[in-house]
């Protein structure tokens, strides 16, 4: 009986300990999702407390919304390029600062000045997205005063009378935003991969070098397989970031809540906010939010399953 009473007491303690966090999570996280899903079937304007049930009309309208479909395509492009470029650069830099130097008396080591490089690469991560928007707004300025245009004028690639409209050029604007996201994220994932590499025994790298493996072979045959769990997790987080992009697009591009020129930098989040706050189509915006949620969950599951491999232990 004492054992049963002890088990009940432990269960009661655990239940009581978890009740408050679970209640807060259900109230402030799960319930807003449920409300959004419910509002997506209505014509709610966001201002009026009354609204009518419209069924699947909002979702049917989404299928014929060219702006939203264009924004979805831009998000999918970012979903491919942001994780791939960021992870490849972060892996390369992490490998160089941890094991890129040649083996010597001290064993495998990073390139010279690797500690300094880690600080330099991580520095963009300490800047907020608002500061990044101001910083790169100055870099992409559409006159000779912009850093990028000023450099191109100095080297003679463009004339001062015809500067490049980086954020107003339909063929450039999305890639300019992509560069900002990659520049901001590489440092964080470099530190993440560096921490994972430091847990790998140096004997493994030394054995590979003794067998005559070069840097490229060591990277692809040793480093990448041992860091695959970290790469997999990073791909999911970067994919979620690529599905958002609201702050940079809304602050760096033209138009109401960004998206210019002529919707060439539009993402789903900017279309959602414009409909919610500017056009008063809150129910329609909620339908967009549900689509974004479902797509993000599906893509996360696909990424985890597509990158699943047998765990390598050392």
């Amino acid at each position: 009986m004492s054992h049963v009473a002890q088990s009940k007491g432990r269960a009661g303690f655990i239940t009581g300990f978890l009740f408050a966090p679970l209640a807060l999570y259900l109230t402030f996280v799960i319930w807003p999702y449920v409300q959004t899903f419910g509002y997506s079937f209505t014509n709610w304007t966001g201002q009026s407390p009354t609204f009518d049930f419209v069924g699947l009309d909002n979702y049917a309208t989404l299928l014929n919304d060219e702006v939203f479909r264009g924004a979805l395509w831009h998000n999918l492009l970012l979903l491919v390029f942001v994780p791939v470029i960021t992870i490849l650069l972060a892996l390369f830099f992490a490998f160089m600062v941890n094991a890129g130097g040649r083996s010597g008396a001290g064993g495998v080591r990073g390139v010279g000045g690797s500690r300094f490089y880690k600080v330099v690469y991580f520095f963009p991560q300490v800047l907020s997205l608002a500061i990044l928007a101001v910083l790169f707004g100055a870099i992409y300025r559409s006159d000779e005063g912009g850093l990028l245009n000023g450099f191109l004028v100095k080297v003679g690639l463009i004339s001062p009378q015809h500067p490049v409209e980086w954020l107003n050029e339909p063929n450039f604007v999305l890639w300019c935003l992509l560069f900002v996201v990659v520049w901001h994220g590489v440092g964080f994932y470099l530190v993440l991969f560096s921490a994972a590499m430091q847990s790998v025994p140096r004997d493994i790298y030394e054995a590979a070098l003794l067998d005559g493996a070069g840097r490229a072979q060591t990277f692809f045959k040793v480093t990448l397989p041992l860091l695959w769990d970290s790469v997999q997790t990073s791909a999911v987080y970067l994919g979620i970031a690529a599905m958002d992009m609201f702050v940079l697009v809304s602050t760096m591009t033209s138009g109401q809540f960004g998206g210019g020129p002529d919707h060439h930098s539009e993402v789903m989040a900017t279309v959602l906010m414009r409909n919610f706050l500017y056009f008063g189509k809150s129910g329609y915006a909620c339908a967009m939010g549900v689509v974004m949620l479902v797509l993000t969950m599906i893509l996360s599951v696909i990424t985890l399953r597509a990158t699943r491999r047998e765990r390598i232990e050392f």
Side-chain angles (χ1 to χ4, degrees):
M1 292 295 294
S2 60
H3 178 71
V4 174
Q6 186 177 6
S7 298
K8 289 183 177 179
R10 186 184 300 113
F13 173 78
I14 295 174
T15 302
F17 184 77
L18 294 177
F19 177 77
L22 182 61
L24 291 174
Y25 184 80
L26 291 174
T27 302
F28 295 107
V29 179
I30 301 301
W31 180 240
Y33 281 113
V34 175
Q35 284 183 307
T36 300
F37 185 76
Y39 286 139
S40 70
F41 296 105
T42 70
N43 61 356
W44 182 45
T45 63
Q47 300 293 331
S48 173
T50 60
F51 45 81
D52 297 321
F53 180 79
V54 296
L56 297 175
D57 288 357
N58 289 329
Y59 294 95
T61 304
L62 277 179
L63 296 176
N64 299 315
D65 190 333
E66 293 184 1
V67 174
F68 182 77
R69 286 187 295 175
L72 174 60
W73 172 244
H74 295 157
N75 275 115
L76 292 177
L77 286 176
L78 293 168
L79 184 67
V80 173
F81 287 102
V82 169
V84 171
I85 297 175
T86 304
I87 289 174
L88 287 179
L89 288 175
L91 279 172
F92 172 75
F93 291 138
F95 177 75
M96 295 304 292
V97 300
N98 286 278
R102 281 302 175 188
S103 179
V108 174
R109 61 183 184 275
V111 296
S114 57
R115 293 183 179 179
F116 172 74
Y117 293 143
K118 287 181 181 179
V119 175
V120 172
Y121 290 140
F122 187 76
F123 176 73
Q125 191 61 215
V126 305
L127 301 176
S128 69
L129 290 177
I131 295 176
L132 279 183
V134 174
L135 175 63
F136 278 89
I139 293 174
Y140 291 139
R141 270 181 57 178
S142 302
D143 54 31
E144 192 178 353
L147 179 63
L148 191 52
N149 275 328
F151 172 77
L152 294 177
V153 168
K154 291 296 183 182
V155 299
L157 294 178
I158 63 174
S159 66
Q161 292 75 27
H162 300 90
V164 180
E165 299 273 349
W166 297 104
L167 295 177
N168 290 310
E169 173 58 48
N171 294 325
F172 292 156
V173 60
L174 197 64
W175 305 109
C176 291
L177 296 171
L178 170 67
F179 179 82
V180 177
V181 176
V182 172
W183 185 82
H184 180 252
V186 164
F188 174 80
Y189 292 98
L190 178 149
V191 173
L192 177 67
F193 296 147
S194 293
M197 285 183 189
Q198 289 173 3
S199 66
V200 177
R202 295 294 176 179
D203 295 345
I204 297 177
Y205 287 114
E206 292 174 0
L209 293 175
L210 289 175
D211 289 339
R215 289 182 177 178
Q217 290 176 311
T218 304
F219 175 79
F220 287 105
K221 299 296 184 181
V222 178
T223 302
L224 187 57
L226 294 177
L227 267 63
W228 194 252
D229 287 346
S230 299
V231 172
Q232 185 185 52
T233 304
S234 300
V236 173
Y237 278 107
L238 285 166
I240 293 173
M243 292 294 288
D244 183 10
M245 292 289 294
F246 173 75
V247 174
L248 287 180
V249 174
S250 63
T251 53
M252 293 184 64
T253 60
S254 59
Q256 188 72 29
F257 296 103
D262 195 23
H263 303 297
H264 280 86
S265 64
E266 204 79 75
V267 292
M268 289 187 290
T270 57
V271 181
L272 185 156
M273 292 302 295
R274 189 179 302 114
N275 279 276
F276 190 89
L277 296 176
Y278 189 70
F279 296 135
K281 298 179 179 179
S282 301
Y284 186 52
C286 288
M288 295 182 188
V290 172
V291 171
M292 289 179 62
L293 172 64
V294 173
L295 286 176
T296 302
M297 293 179 64
I298 291 174
L299 292 170
S300 298
V301 172
I302 292 175
T303 301
L304 289 173
R305 292 187 66 87
T307 58
R308 184 171 56 186
R309 292 186 178 182
E310 292 185 5
R311 185 179 181 86
I312 299 176
E313 298 183 356
F314 47 85

